[in-house]
Amino acid sequence: MPKIMLKNLTKTYKEETAIDNISMEIENRELMALVGHSGCGKTTMLRLISGLIHPDKGSIWIDGFDVTQTKAEKRDVVMVFQENLLFPHLTVAENIAFGLRMQRSPRKKRIEKTRELLDLMQLPDLEKRYPSQLSGGQQQRVALARALALEPKVLLLDEPLSNLDPKLRDDLRDLILKLHKEFRMTSILVTHDRDEAMMMADRIAVMYYGKLLQLDKPINIYNKPVSREVASLFGQCNFIPGSLNDGVFQTGGYRFTVPALKRGGRVEACVRSEHIKIVRPGNDRLIGVVTEKKFVGGQSILKVAVGSLIFVARGSNYFDLEIGNQVGLDIDWSQVSFNGF
């Protein structure tokens, strides 16, 4: 049985629907990422699962029990917020042990658990410091330790890395993955960072204006997006309208043989920039003109106009190309996804 089941959840604020009839299952010990633009309902979903708010319609099941109306403190679910919300008047050790103290756990257990988590979080000799004396990364580690001290069945993470610099993000991301596996928890991560979701999650749920657009493994979200909105969230994509009939894609006067696709009708091709190769012009390929060039890290990003079509390609071998150069485009059609209108 799945660890968490959400059945037809709906949540409305005044006249705005934050969660629109969403159903999904999160498996036991799975790390799922919720991804989508700001205001799409990701944090509202976490707050519903945690019990901080209640749905207008639908139900929430954890371990086979309907907890829809169960109080937050009775759900065995802990949430770590974007703002760490540490108690400024308590020391690091007191912050970590706060939940255990509220549960009236024995003093010996509180001390042992706090020491264990201080070591696990790589916070040696900081137990007597106050939050104001810690770096941002250290504060977030303390917030995570405070949540783990309660040994929850479900850990909810609401953009816990968004306020950290890149190096700290990498370190804490690796730590969260390690803790997720060691504590054998079911975890749900809200993030705006598509790379973070791809690297961390077993599956990704893509949300859009309160709706669930796609729930799948990261590789399928990237290679087989169900819509333009999903494709756009996960990297540069060239959207090309056309028609698909008997394995032939037609657009702008061009015809391309597309492997293993026989359905017909109007479609939109999603061509990732890395699946376009810039080559010498030839009669057997698309020919266009470079209209824009940018340098990013070890790659050049080029815009190429082919008649009325605009393609974006990137690669590490295009530094000598200049605006106005004529080039050929070689598209790997086996990697292209198609969405119907």
Side-chain angles (χ1 to χ4, degrees):
M1 176 177 290
K3 186 71 175 183
I4 302 171
M5 288 194 297
L6 310 177
K7 299 181 180 181
N8 305 113
L9 278 190
T10 296
K11 182 64 179 178
T12 302
Y13 294 105
K14 296 183 179 179
E15 296 182 358
E16 181 179 349
T17 301
I19 301 294
D20 190 359
N21 194 35
I22 286 181
S23 297
M24 72 167 75
E25 297 180 354
I26 298 97
E27 300 297 334
N28 191 31
R29 299 175 186 171
E30 180 178 30
L31 196 162
M32 177 178 285
L34 299 182
V35 178
H37 62 79
S38 297
C40 71
K42 303 186 299 297
T43 296
T44 299
M45 183 69 79
L46 290 195
R47 291 171 66 84
L48 286 168
I49 295 171
S50 69
L52 294 176
I53 59 175
H54 297 285
D56 299 323
K57 296 179 183 178
S59 58
I60 301 165
W61 297 70
I62 298 177
D63 279 340
F65 295 95
D66 186 346
V67 299
T68 310
Q69 299 303 322
T70 302
K71 293 182 179 180
E73 60 269 23
K74 300 294 185 180
R75 294 194 184 190
D76 208 0
V77 174
V78 174
M79 187 165 170
V80 177
F81 297 88
Q82 180 178 352
E83 303 295 335
N84 55 67
L85 303 180
L86 298 177
F87 300 110
H89 61 288
L90 299 182
T91 65
V92 166
E94 290 168 341
N95 266 285
I96 293 174
F98 181 81
L100 294 173
R101 186 177 178 185
M102 292 298 100
Q103 291 182 344
R104 301 185 183 279
S105 298
R107 183 172 182 274
K108 182 179 179 182
K109 178 182 178 180
R110 299 201 306 266
I111 293 173
E112 290 177 350
K113 195 66 178 178
T114 299
R115 287 175 177 169
E116 174 191 338
L117 287 166
L118 282 168
D119 289 339
L120 197 59
M121 296 294 173
Q122 302 171 10
L123 296 170
D125 306 321
L126 298 181
E127 66 270 18
K128 294 183 179 179
R129 291 193 186 182
Y130 290 89
S132 61
Q133 298 172 308
L134 304 177
S135 68
Q138 290 171 335
Q139 289 179 13
Q140 201 60 284
R141 286 172 187 259
V142 175
L144 191 56
R146 183 175 62 184
L148 294 176
L150 297 173
E151 300 179 2
K153 292 180 180 178
V154 178
L155 178 65
L156 307 178
L157 302 160
D158 189 9
E159 299 196 66
L161 312 181
S162 61
N163 292 332
L164 305 178
D165 63 50
K167 179 62 170 66
L168 284 176
R169 285 177 73 110
D170 290 346
D171 292 345
L172 198 51
R173 182 188 65 234
D174 292 342
L175 179 60
I176 289 173
L177 279 173
K178 175 184 175 184
L179 296 173
H180 168 76
K181 293 175 182 177
E182 285 190 11
F183 283 78
R184 302 164 73 88
M185 295 177 298
T186 302
S187 305
I188 305 176
L189 168 72
V190 161
T191 179
H192 278 95
D193 190 320
R194 64 175 185 250
D195 293 331
E196 196 167 273
M198 287 282 180
M199 287 186 283
M200 296 181 69
D202 297 305
R203 289 190 299 159
I204 297 173
V206 182
M207 297 180 63
Y208 187 74
Y209 288 109
K211 294 184 179 293
L212 177 63
L213 295 186
Q214 188 170 357
L215 172 57
D216 212 331
K217 294 180 180 179
I219 190 169
N220 292 332
I221 293 284
Y222 189 81
N223 289 329
K224 300 176 182 178
V226 299
S227 67
R228 172 189 279 255
E229 290 78 18
V230 175
S232 297
L233 281 171
F234 290 90
Q236 175 65 50
C237 197
N238 299 278
F239 297 104
I240 308 170
S243 62
L244 183 61
N245 295 285
D246 295 326
V248 176
F249 177 60
Q250 298 185 66
T251 180
Y254 296 95
R255 293 168 54 90
F256 304 99
T257 301
V258 181
L261 286 172
K262 300 297 182 183
R263 63 186 176 85
R266 295 182 64 216
V267 296
E268 186 174 55
C270 171
V271 184
R272 297 285 184 191
S273 57
E274 62 267 31
H275 297 146
I276 300 175
K277 194 175 190 180
I278 294 182
V279 293
R280 292 180 181 278
N283 295 330
D284 58 342
R285 54 177 55 104
L286 292 171
I287 298 176
V289 176
V290 178
T291 61
E292 189 175 315
K293 177 182 178 182
K294 295 179 181 178
F295 177 72
V296 180
Q299 292 188 322
S300 289
I301 300 177
L302 303 179
K303 281 188 179 181
V304 179
V306 180
S308 62
L309 302 176
I310 300 294
F311 293 85
V312 178
R314 64 171 63 217
S316 57
N317 301 317
Y318 307 148
F319 303 115
D320 294 335
L321 292 172
E322 300 294 341
I323 293 175
N325 285 168
Q326 190 178 71
V327 295
L329 297 182
D330 187 5
I331 297 175
D332 183 357
W333 289 100
S334 67
Q335 301 295 326
V336 175
S337 60
F338 292 88
N339 300 309
F341 281 88

